[in-house]
Amino acid sequence: MSFRRDYKPLFSIRVVDHNSNAAIEEVVVEPTSQCRKLMQDHQLLAKQRSYGMQVFYSLNPLVAEPLMGAINSRVRLDFKLSLPTDFYQRYLPDVSGDKRLHLCNLDNSGALKAGSAVGLSAGASIAANDALHLVGERFELAISPPVGAASFELRQPFDAAVLNTFDLAELGQGARLEFDLERLESGRYRLSPDNTPAQVTDLFVENEVAGQRCQALISIYVETPQTLAPVAGYQFNARFESR
């Protein structure tokens, strides 16, 4: 069998000034270990750029089915974003000390945002409501149960089904409660008291990133074959407002 590998743009992650649209430099975007494994499985290549990251897919044009490692169902690719030390002196938002940003290309219904150029925040630019608790499988959380609550319930972001229940009697006492999510896959979840399900605490469970100093986690979802991407690839923008 003849073999040749051509690389085509799949997507870029760009960190930009929301007002000027200029790239914010000295940022570092890098895949998590789990993301590297998925990229190998789907024959993807990541390259660091001055604006962030660019990802390519692979073709072998000498065979009948040239696409290598085709994506035919939803895949989540997670990237760590590290910002310069003086970044938050120049840019918003103000993020509380125990939270970090989670940016992604899903809308508020869980569907992929449409278009070839997509913002990674809930609004036009990144705000405090894009932040959540980035935790390992076992963690402590400063959270106060409301009066009458008997447990906390865990759900996926876009599903009302309860995945797990944590009785208050088993969570310890004091200002910080102890949770164990060891049986769950890495990803985003909602935690809420059983008697007040609208009182949501957003979590992202990721052992590797929870123990590191990055300021944000970026999740890029792809669910169709790479050859359906625009010629220049999708452009995903992390847009920060200057102070």
Side-chain angles (χ1 to χ4, degrees), residues 169-194:
E170 299 175 359
L171 296 177
Q173 298 179 348
R176 301 181 70 85
L177 303 183
E178 300 177 4
F179 292 86
D180 185 347
L181 308 184
E182 190 173 7
R183 295 182 299 276
L184 293 177
E185 294 181 354
S186 166
R188 185 162 177 161
Y189 297 94
R190 296 179 295 142
L191 188 69
S192 58
D194 62 330

PDB file of all heavy atoms in Angstrom, residues 169-194:
ATOM      1  N   ALA A 169     -24.101  13.245  55.912  1.00  0.00           N
ATOM      2  CA  ALA A 169     -23.443  12.587  57.043  1.00  0.00           C
ATOM      3  C   ALA A 169     -22.103  11.979  56.654  1.00  0.00           C
ATOM      4  O   ALA A 169     -21.252  11.739  57.519  1.00  0.00           O
ATOM      5  CB  ALA A 169     -24.362  11.505  57.605  1.00  0.00           C
ATOM      6  N   GLU A 170     -21.883  11.753  55.345  1.00  0.00           N
ATOM      7  CA  GLU A 170     -20.648  11.124  54.883  1.00  0.00           C
ATOM      8  C   GLU A 170     -19.644  12.136  54.331  1.00  0.00           C
ATOM      9  O   GLU A 170     -18.551  11.742  53.900  1.00  0.00           O
ATOM     10  CB  GLU A 170     -20.980  10.098  53.800  1.00  0.00           C
ATOM     11  CG  GLU A 170     -21.893   8.980  54.277  1.00  0.00           C
ATOM     12  CD  GLU A 170     -22.304   8.045  53.162  1.00  0.00           C
ATOM     13  OE1 GLU A 170     -21.885   8.293  52.000  1.00  0.00           O
ATOM     14  OE2 GLU A 170     -23.038   7.085  53.432  1.00  0.00           O
ATOM     15  N   LEU A 171     -20.004  13.417  54.315  1.00  0.00           N
ATOM     16  CA  LEU A 171     -19.157  14.435  53.701  1.00  0.00           C
ATOM     17  C   LEU A 171     -18.264  15.169  54.687  1.00  0.00           C
ATOM     18  O   LEU A 171     -17.512  16.064  54.294  1.00  0.00           O
ATOM     19  CB  LEU A 171     -20.018  15.455  52.943  1.00  0.00           C
ATOM     20  CG  LEU A 171     -20.810  14.903  51.750  1.00  0.00           C
ATOM     21  CD1 LEU A 171     -21.678  15.996  51.137  1.00  0.00           C
ATOM     22  CD2 LEU A 171     -19.871  14.330  50.708  1.00  0.00           C
ATOM     23  N   GLY A 172     -18.335  14.806  55.957  1.00  0.00           N
ATOM     24  CA  GLY A 172     -17.529  15.489  56.959  1.00  0.00           C
ATOM     25  C   GLY A 172     -18.246  16.718  57.496  1.00  0.00           C
ATOM     26  O   GLY A 172     -19.391  17.011  57.142  1.00  0.00           O
ATOM     27  N   GLN A 173     -17.554  17.440  58.357  1.00  0.00           N
ATOM     28  CA  GLN A 173     -18.120  18.629  58.980  1.00  0.00           C
ATOM     29  C   GLN A 173     -17.161  19.799  58.826  1.00  0.00           C
ATOM     30  O   GLN A 173     -15.993  19.619  58.504  1.00  0.00           O
ATOM     31  CB  GLN A 173     -18.411  18.370  60.462  1.00  0.00           C
ATOM     32  CG  GLN A 173     -19.439  17.264  60.699  1.00  0.00           C
ATOM     33  CD  GLN A 173     -19.684  17.026  62.173  1.00  0.00           C
ATOM     34  OE1 GLN A 173     -18.940  17.518  63.020  1.00  0.00           O
ATOM     35  NE2 GLN A 173     -20.727  16.270  62.484  1.00  0.00           N
ATOM     36  N   GLY A 174     -17.688  20.997  59.056  1.00  0.00           N
ATOM     37  CA  GLY A 174     -16.869  22.189  58.955  1.00  0.00           C
ATOM     38  C   GLY A 174     -17.149  22.966  57.684  1.00  0.00           C
ATOM     39  O   GLY A 174     -18.119  22.709  56.962  1.00  0.00           O
ATOM     40  N   ALA A 175     -16.256  23.916  57.383  1.00  0.00           N
ATOM     41  CA  ALA A 175     -16.472  24.817  56.245  1.00  0.00           C
ATOM     42  C   ALA A 175     -16.235  24.136  54.911  1.00  0.00           C
ATOM     43  O   ALA A 175     -16.715  24.597  53.877  1.00  0.00           O
ATOM     44  CB  ALA A 175     -15.576  26.043  56.378  1.00  0.00           C
ATOM     45  N   ARG A 176     -15.477  23.036  54.908  1.00  0.00           N
ATOM     46  CA  ARG A 176     -15.152  22.347  53.656  1.00  0.00           C
ATOM     47  C   ARG A 176     -15.624  20.897  53.735  1.00  0.00           C
ATOM     48  O   ARG A 176     -15.313  20.183  54.690  1.00  0.00           O
ATOM     49  CB  ARG A 176     -13.644  22.400  53.382  1.00  0.00           C
ATOM     50  CG  ARG A 176     -13.101  23.826  53.277  1.00  0.00           C
ATOM     51  CD  ARG A 176     -11.610  23.827  52.981  1.00  0.00           C
ATOM     52  NE  ARG A 176     -11.330  23.364  51.633  1.00  0.00           N
ATOM     53  CZ  ARG A 176     -11.359  24.142  50.554  1.00  0.00           C
ATOM     54  NH1 ARG A 176     -11.659  25.433  50.664  1.00  0.00           N
ATOM     55  NH2 ARG A 176     -11.076  23.642  49.365  1.00  0.00           N
ATOM     56  N   LEU A 177     -16.376  20.481  52.715  1.00  0.00           N
ATOM     57  CA  LEU A 177     -16.894  19.125  52.654  1.00  0.00           C
ATOM     58  C   LEU A 177     -16.007  18.286  51.733  1.00  0.00           C
ATOM     59  O   LEU A 177     -15.409  18.804  50.788  1.00  0.00           O
ATOM     60  CB  LEU A 177     -18.337  19.123  52.146  1.00  0.00           C
ATOM     61  CG  LEU A 177     -19.328  19.975  52.947  1.00  0.00           C
ATOM     62  CD1 LEU A 177     -20.738  19.832  52.368  1.00  0.00           C
ATOM     63  CD2 LEU A 177     -19.314  19.608  54.420  1.00  0.00           C
ATOM     64  N   GLU A 178     -15.923  16.998  51.995  1.00  0.00           N
ATOM     65  CA  GLU A 178     -15.045  16.108  51.257  1.00  0.00           C
ATOM     66  C   GLU A 178     -15.855  15.238  50.296  1.00  0.00           C
ATOM     67  O   GLU A 178     -16.742  14.501  50.717  1.00  0.00           O
ATOM     68  CB  GLU A 178     -14.265  15.216  52.233  1.00  0.00           C
ATOM     69  CG  GLU A 178     -13.389  15.996  53.202  1.00  0.00           C
ATOM     70  CD  GLU A 178     -12.693  15.078  54.196  1.00  0.00           C
ATOM     71  OE1 GLU A 178     -12.836  13.842  54.070  1.00  0.00           O
ATOM     72  OE2 GLU A 178     -12.014  15.596  55.091  1.00  0.00           O
ATOM     73  N   PHE A 179     -15.522  15.307  49.003  1.00  0.00           N
ATOM     74  CA  PHE A 179     -16.224  14.552  47.969  1.00  0.00           C
ATOM     75  C   PHE A 179     -15.275  13.550  47.316  1.00  0.00           C
ATOM     76  O   PHE A 179     -14.082  13.814  47.167  1.00  0.00           O
ATOM     77  CB  PHE A 179     -16.788  15.491  46.900  1.00  0.00           C
ATOM     78  CG  PHE A 179     -17.898  16.376  47.382  1.00  0.00           C
ATOM     79  CD1 PHE A 179     -17.620  17.593  47.988  1.00  0.00           C
ATOM     80  CD2 PHE A 179     -19.221  15.995  47.234  1.00  0.00           C
ATOM     81  CE1 PHE A 179     -18.640  18.413  48.434  1.00  0.00           C
ATOM     82  CE2 PHE A 179     -20.247  16.809  47.683  1.00  0.00           C
ATOM     83  CZ  PHE A 179     -19.966  18.017  48.287  1.00  0.00           C
ATOM     84  N   ASP A 180     -15.839  12.425  46.893  1.00  0.00           N
ATOM     85  CA  ASP A 180     -15.079  11.389  46.206  1.00  0.00           C
ATOM     86  C   ASP A 180     -15.817  11.029  44.923  1.00  0.00           C
ATOM     87  O   ASP A 180     -16.902  10.445  44.962  1.00  0.00           O
ATOM     88  CB  ASP A 180     -14.934  10.152  47.097  1.00  0.00           C
ATOM     89  CG  ASP A 180     -14.046   9.077  46.479  1.00  0.00           C
ATOM     90  OD1 ASP A 180     -13.748   9.173  45.275  1.00  0.00           O
ATOM     91  OD2 ASP A 180     -13.664   8.139  47.199  1.00  0.00           O
ATOM     92  N   LEU A 181     -15.238  11.405  43.768  1.00  0.00           N
ATOM     93  CA  LEU A 181     -15.845  11.128  42.458  1.00  0.00           C
ATOM     94  C   LEU A 181     -15.011  10.108  41.688  1.00  0.00           C
ATOM     95  O   LEU A 181     -14.944  10.145  40.459  1.00  0.00           O
ATOM     96  CB  LEU A 181     -15.969  12.422  41.645  1.00  0.00           C
ATOM     97  CG  LEU A 181     -16.660  13.604  42.323  1.00  0.00           C
ATOM     98  CD1 LEU A 181     -16.787  14.758  41.340  1.00  0.00           C
ATOM     99  CD2 LEU A 181     -18.021  13.223  42.862  1.00  0.00           C
ATOM    100  N   GLU A 182     -14.391   9.198  42.407  1.00  0.00           N
ATOM    101  CA  GLU A 182     -13.412   8.294  41.813  1.00  0.00           C
ATOM    102  C   GLU A 182     -13.996   7.430  40.698  1.00  0.00           C
ATOM    103  O   GLU A 182     -13.300   7.046  39.763  1.00  0.00           O
ATOM    104  CB  GLU A 182     -12.810   7.399  42.891  1.00  0.00           C
ATOM    105  CG  GLU A 182     -11.616   6.592  42.439  1.00  0.00           C
ATOM    106  CD  GLU A 182     -10.952   5.866  43.586  1.00  0.00           C
ATOM    107  OE1 GLU A 182     -11.500   5.880  44.707  1.00  0.00           O
ATOM    108  OE2 GLU A 182      -9.882   5.288  43.361  1.00  0.00           O
ATOM    109  N   ARG A 183     -15.279   7.130  40.747  1.00  0.00           N
ATOM    110  CA  ARG A 183     -15.873   6.226  39.754  1.00  0.00           C
ATOM    111  C   ARG A 183     -16.335   6.947  38.492  1.00  0.00           C
ATOM    112  O   ARG A 183     -16.860   6.311  37.577  1.00  0.00           O
ATOM    113  CB  ARG A 183     -17.054   5.476  40.383  1.00  0.00           C
ATOM    114  CG  ARG A 183     -16.649   4.549  41.519  1.00  0.00           C
ATOM    115  CD  ARG A 183     -17.842   3.790  42.074  1.00  0.00           C
ATOM    116  NE  ARG A 183     -18.856   4.673  42.628  1.00  0.00           N
ATOM    117  CZ  ARG A 183     -18.814   5.166  43.871  1.00  0.00           C
ATOM    118  NH1 ARG A 183     -17.796   4.864  44.668  1.00  0.00           N
ATOM    119  NH2 ARG A 183     -19.764   5.955  44.319  1.00  0.00           N
ATOM    120  N   LEU A 184     -16.160   8.246  38.439  1.00  0.00           N
ATOM    121  CA  LEU A 184     -16.664   9.023  37.304  1.00  0.00           C
ATOM    122  C   LEU A 184     -15.549   9.387  36.328  1.00  0.00           C
ATOM    123  O   LEU A 184     -14.397   9.554  36.716  1.00  0.00           O
ATOM    124  CB  LEU A 184     -17.334  10.300  37.803  1.00  0.00           C
ATOM    125  CG  LEU A 184     -18.628  10.104  38.601  1.00  0.00           C
ATOM    126  CD1 LEU A 184     -19.136  11.436  39.103  1.00  0.00           C
ATOM    127  CD2 LEU A 184     -19.701   9.419  37.766  1.00  0.00           C
ATOM    128  N   GLU A 185     -15.923   9.522  35.078  1.00  0.00           N
ATOM    129  CA  GLU A 185     -14.969   9.926  34.053  1.00  0.00           C
ATOM    130  C   GLU A 185     -14.629  11.407  34.192  1.00  0.00           C
ATOM    131  O   GLU A 185     -15.415  12.202  34.729  1.00  0.00           O
ATOM    132  CB  GLU A 185     -15.548   9.672  32.658  1.00  0.00           C
ATOM    133  CG  GLU A 185     -15.758   8.206  32.329  1.00  0.00           C
ATOM    134  CD  GLU A 185     -16.299   8.025  30.922  1.00  0.00           C
ATOM    135  OE1 GLU A 185     -16.609   9.047  30.264  1.00  0.00           O
ATOM    136  OE2 GLU A 185     -16.407   6.868  30.491  1.00  0.00           O
ATOM    137  N   SER A 186     -13.483  11.771  33.656  1.00  0.00           N
ATOM    138  CA  SER A 186     -13.099  13.178  33.581  1.00  0.00           C
ATOM    139  C   SER A 186     -14.167  13.959  32.810  1.00  0.00           C
ATOM    140  O   SER A 186     -14.728  13.470  31.831  1.00  0.00           O
ATOM    141  CB  SER A 186     -11.744  13.298  32.883  1.00  0.00           C
ATOM    142  OG  SER A 186     -11.483  14.621  32.498  1.00  0.00           O
ATOM    143  N   GLY A 187     -14.453  15.178  33.269  1.00  0.00           N
ATOM    144  CA  GLY A 187     -15.421  16.006  32.554  1.00  0.00           C
ATOM    145  C   GLY A 187     -16.138  16.968  33.471  1.00  0.00           C
ATOM    146  O   GLY A 187     -15.809  17.090  34.662  1.00  0.00           O
ATOM    147  N   ARG A 188     -17.129  17.646  32.916  1.00  0.00           N
ATOM    148  CA  ARG A 188     -17.854  18.688  33.637  1.00  0.00           C
ATOM    149  C   ARG A 188     -19.114  18.107  34.275  1.00  0.00           C
ATOM    150  O   ARG A 188     -19.812  17.292  33.674  1.00  0.00           O
ATOM    151  CB  ARG A 188     -18.210  19.834  32.690  1.00  0.00           C
ATOM    152  CG  ARG A 188     -18.855  21.024  33.385  1.00  0.00           C
ATOM    153  CD  ARG A 188     -18.788  22.273  32.556  1.00  0.00           C
ATOM    154  NE  ARG A 188     -19.472  23.382  33.213  1.00  0.00           N
ATOM    155  CZ  ARG A 188     -19.283  24.664  32.912  1.00  0.00           C
ATOM    156  NH1 ARG A 188     -18.423  24.994  31.954  1.00  0.00           N
ATOM    157  NH2 ARG A 188     -19.935  25.606  33.549  1.00  0.00           N
ATOM    158  N   TYR A 189     -19.415  18.590  35.507  1.00  0.00           N
ATOM    159  CA  TYR A 189     -20.569  18.113  36.261  1.00  0.00           C
ATOM    160  C   TYR A 189     -21.207  19.273  37.023  1.00  0.00           C
ATOM    161  O   TYR A 189     -20.602  20.329  37.203  1.00  0.00           O
ATOM    162  CB  TYR A 189     -20.153  17.017  37.255  1.00  0.00           C
ATOM    163  CG  TYR A 189     -19.602  15.786  36.594  1.00  0.00           C
ATOM    164  CD1 TYR A 189     -18.222  15.631  36.415  1.00  0.00           C
ATOM    165  CD2 TYR A 189     -20.442  14.781  36.139  1.00  0.00           C
ATOM    166  CE1 TYR A 189     -17.707  14.501  35.799  1.00  0.00           C
ATOM    167  CE2 TYR A 189     -19.938  13.644  35.525  1.00  0.00           C
ATOM    168  CZ  TYR A 189     -18.572  13.516  35.353  1.00  0.00           C
ATOM    169  OH  TYR A 189     -18.068  12.401  34.729  1.00  0.00           O
ATOM    170  N   ARG A 190     -22.469  19.031  37.498  1.00  0.00           N
ATOM    171  CA  ARG A 190     -23.196  19.986  38.329  1.00  0.00           C
ATOM    172  C   ARG A 190     -23.480  19.345  39.672  1.00  0.00           C
ATOM    173  O   ARG A 190     -23.986  18.225  39.741  1.00  0.00           O
ATOM    174  CB  ARG A 190     -24.518  20.385  37.674  1.00  0.00           C
ATOM    175  CG  ARG A 190     -24.378  21.121  36.343  1.00  0.00           C
ATOM    176  CD  ARG A 190     -25.753  21.446  35.773  1.00  0.00           C
ATOM    177  NE  ARG A 190     -26.482  20.240  35.430  1.00  0.00           N
ATOM    178  CZ  ARG A 190     -27.789  20.073  35.608  1.00  0.00           C
ATOM    179  NH1 ARG A 190     -28.515  21.033  36.149  1.00  0.00           N
ATOM    180  NH2 ARG A 190     -28.381  18.947  35.250  1.00  0.00           N
ATOM    181  N   LEU A 191     -23.172  20.065  40.742  1.00  0.00           N
ATOM    182  CA  LEU A 191     -23.410  19.588  42.100  1.00  0.00           C
ATOM    183  C   LEU A 191     -24.444  20.499  42.749  1.00  0.00           C
ATOM    184  O   LEU A 191     -24.314  21.732  42.698  1.00  0.00           O
ATOM    185  CB  LEU A 191     -22.102  19.613  42.888  1.00  0.00           C
ATOM    186  CG  LEU A 191     -22.082  18.991  44.277  1.00  0.00           C
ATOM    187  CD1 LEU A 191     -22.239  17.478  44.185  1.00  0.00           C
ATOM    188  CD2 LEU A 191     -20.776  19.341  44.988  1.00  0.00           C
ATOM    189  N   SER A 192     -25.495  19.908  43.363  1.00  0.00           N
ATOM    190  CA  SER A 192     -26.527  20.736  43.981  1.00  0.00           C
ATOM    191  C   SER A 192     -27.166  20.003  45.161  1.00  0.00           C
ATOM    192  O   SER A 192     -27.192  18.766  45.189  1.00  0.00           O
ATOM    193  CB  SER A 192     -27.601  21.119  42.960  1.00  0.00           C
ATOM    194  OG  SER A 192     -28.185  19.959  42.392  1.00  0.00           O
ATOM    195  N   PRO A 193     -27.681  20.750  46.148  1.00  0.00           N
ATOM    196  CA  PRO A 193     -28.383  20.114  47.269  1.00  0.00           C
ATOM    197  C   PRO A 193     -29.655  19.422  46.774  1.00  0.00           C
ATOM    198  O   PRO A 193     -30.283  19.875  45.816  1.00  0.00           O
ATOM    199  CB  PRO A 193     -28.716  21.288  48.191  1.00  0.00           C
ATOM    200  CG  PRO A 193     -27.852  22.420  47.733  1.00  0.00           C
ATOM    201  CD  PRO A 193     -27.622  22.213  46.276  1.00  0.00           C
ATOM    202  N   ASP A 194     -30.037  18.342  47.451  1.00  0.00           N
ATOM    203  CA  ASP A 194     -31.207  17.586  47.007  1.00  0.00           C
ATOM    204  C   ASP A 194     -32.495  18.381  47.096  1.00  0.00           C
ATOM    205  O   ASP A 194     -33.415  18.170  46.300  1.00  0.00           O
ATOM    206  CB  ASP A 194     -31.333  16.283  47.802  1.00  0.00           C
ATOM    207  CG  ASP A 194     -31.532  16.520  49.298  1.00  0.00           C
ATOM    208  OD1 ASP A 194     -31.037  17.539  49.820  1.00  0.00           O
ATOM    209  OD2 ASP A 194     -32.183  15.683  49.955  1.00  0.00           O
TER     210      ASP A 194
END
